[in-house]
Amino acid sequence: MRKSFKANVNSSFDFDISETDSSKLNSIKTSANTYHVLHNNSSFKAEIITSDFKNKSFQVKVNNNSYNINIFNELDDLIKDMGFEIGSSKLVNDIKAPMPGLILEINVEIGQEVSENDTLLILEAMKMENVLTSPRAGIIKSISVEKGDAVDKNQLLIEFQ
């Protein structure tokens, strides 16, 4: 992976910063949360107001102007592209049969509100009962099968609103 990162400032401005760019930064720590920065022959006083290292977000005051900064590296971009962002809700809108089988039981109705991990239906496959649970909270939009139906792999079973 490359040694660079992206910074988003105030949810409006994006900056690509390389390892070379960051190594050229001329800053001196003046106290626990304050720094003196020289950039393009200009002097700046920078103070870290809040920092959330887990979410890589910071609030920084530079010459009495406050900025909200979020930092992302290549791994964060890859995780986002794959749909595995931390704290994001799952965007699953339908349930499909994971394997061919027989619908033994349907535990929901159209219009019913369900929570994550609620039992939706039971699918018998290879003489085993498989409980299919809700991947997210939502409202059931449609049910495409009935009790006793034989289903194929990837057949639509349930849709969410």
Side-chain angles (χ1 to χ4, degrees), residues 11-141:
S11 299
S12 300
F13 304 100
D14 292 315
F15 299 95
D16 289 322
I17 302 169
S18 69
E19 186 175 32
T20 305
D21 294 335
S22 63
S23 68
K24 290 180 182 177
L25 184 62
N26 187 353
S27 66
I28 297 173
K29 189 172 188 172
T30 56
S31 71
N33 292 330
T34 60
Y35 296 82
H36 181 259
V37 180
L38 289 175
H39 182 67
N40 292 337
N41 297 323
S42 295
S43 176
F44 300 93
K45 177 187 174 190
E47 179 181 3
I48 299 172
I49 306 298
T50 60
S51 58
D52 181 354
F53 289 102
K54 180 181 172 191
N55 294 314
K56 299 180 185 176
S57 65
F58 306 88
Q59 183 179 22
V60 178
K61 187 185 280 187
V62 179
N63 289 351
N64 293 321
N65 294 314
S66 291
Y67 302 96
N68 295 311
I69 302 170
N70 294 301
I71 297 174
F72 308 95
N73 62 18
E74 187 176 85
L75 181 59
D76 296 322
D77 290 338
L78 181 60
I79 289 169
K80 182 180 178 181
D81 290 344
M82 293 176 68
F84 296 117
E85 286 182 281
I86 294 173
S88 68
S89 63
K90 296 176 185 173
L91 300 175
V92 176
N93 288 323
D94 52 26
I95 304 296
K96 294 182 179 178
M99 62 195 80
L102 182 69
I103 303 295
L104 293 182
E105 191 175 314
I106 299 176
N107 297 60
V108 293
E109 297 175 356
I110 295 173
Q112 181 177 337
E113 190 170 331
V114 295
S115 299
E116 186 172 353
N117 295 323
D118 283 356
T119 299
L120 300 176
L121 56 85
I122 298 176
L123 173 72
E124 180 185 15
M126 298 183 289
K127 298 186 181 184
M128 293 192 60
E129 292 184 4
N130 299 283
V131 177
L132 300 184
T133 59
S134 178
R136 66 173 178 94
I139 298 173
I140 303 299
K141 178 180 178 182

